[in-house]
Amino acid sequence: MNAQQKHIQVEISRSAFADNIHFLRQSLAPAKICVVMKANAYGHGLEHLLDSAIGAGADYLGICTNDEAATIRRRHPSHPILRLRTALPDELEESVTQLHVEEMVGSVAVAEFLAGHGRRRSSPVPVHIKIDTGMGRTGFLADDQAGMTAVCGMDGLRVRGVMTHLPSADGTDLGSTRDQLEQFRETMSSLESVLPKDVLVHSHNSAASMRLPELRGGMVRVGAACYGVRTSSHFSNPPELRPVMSIKTRIMEIRDVPEGRTIGYGSLYKTTRPSRIATVPVGFGEGYPRGLFNKGIVLINGQRCPVVGRVSLNVTTIDITDLSGDVRWGDEVVLVGRQESGEMTFEELADLFGGVHTEINLMAGFYNKPRYID
Ligand SMILES: *Cc1c(COP(=O)(O)O)cnc(C)c1O
């Protein structure tokens, strides 16, 4: 039996996802667009969103694991796939022989491994050279001319792209990001004589694409923006980008509680007045972050109501003393999304406990059965 969940609705709008991609593609043209679908499409369900991404014009799909690539390959045998991290040796083996993922190359060792495969099958393996301009996790250091030149000259490889990744494009100050992009450009001009003319140059994640579109290069790699979330409070997304996921539940009990009573595990909240407490059948077992104790906010009747006390495994308590209008057992509670004129976004909820929107998307998708509403 695969019944729909009654106690929580994680709803995903494929049309919002497709519209977001359309919008990004139009506003960032002529750049190609790599729709980032790693981590099970940021928790939204790779398999369910895959065709919408391609239908909406994704030139590339960005993934991390072979499993994700295999999911794509089952339906799209030749659509370009880019791995957004360095592969492990056994991942590469499978990738070049079966999955045909374009790999990120940040060292001569990985390049040689792939070049060997390319020579054996007499067809060059497409790769993207990764340059570290400040993210500091992977890639050639920008001054490693020798390494990158060696990769460009390897028989058995085809350098399809040159890429970098920006660590602070969502920060207050874009100064360091501009410096990195400058360094990226300089590195590429020093490699100009060895790079193919049609090489794809890509550096921009969602935040950079929104904030520095003029420097976007030949392709952007956008995740957050496609799912309608923004990566920090230092900028707003254009209104055309709509959230793809929403999370709702319903009131399971309403109680009138006197002043001075404690609520929930650890007795972390004590009523300071006679209070009305609504309880919902959702907790961190449904992916509602435990860190939201005494901090979360939900929408009931379109109004904001605070989470009081601990978030339990499957139960959360909400103070509705100040709520106006009628509320009843079974009424809708919006955890993330819109209700009447109220809205709670993934970004705002994440900020309340020092998390990031993607964690909430991921957990909601992982712990529940999303419904694909259109
Ligand atoms: C995840 C990832 C992106 C997408 O980042 P968003 O901020 O979600 O747009 C882009 N590039 C690389 C290398 C990534 O790993």
Side-chain angles (χ1 to χ4, degrees), residues 260-280:
R261 297 294 284 263
T262 61
I263 291 175
Y265 283 112
S267 305
L268 290 182
Y269 183 83
K270 195 174 203 173
T271 53
T272 56
R273 56 178 177 171
S275 301
R276 274 207 122 182
I277 303 296
T279 309
V280 295

Side-chain angles (χ1 to χ4, degrees), residues 36 38 42 64 84-85 104 130 137 163-165 203-207 221-225 227 231 357-358:
V36 177
K38 65 191 180 196
Y42 289 26
C64 279
L84 297 168
R85 62 160 168 79
M104 199 178 98
K130 170 72 180 291
R137 304 187 304 193
M163 64 190 284
T164 193
H165 195 29
S203 54
H204 279 32
N205 57 6
S206 296
R221 306 181 305 261
V222 280
Y227 304 100
T231 39
H357 54 81
T358 317

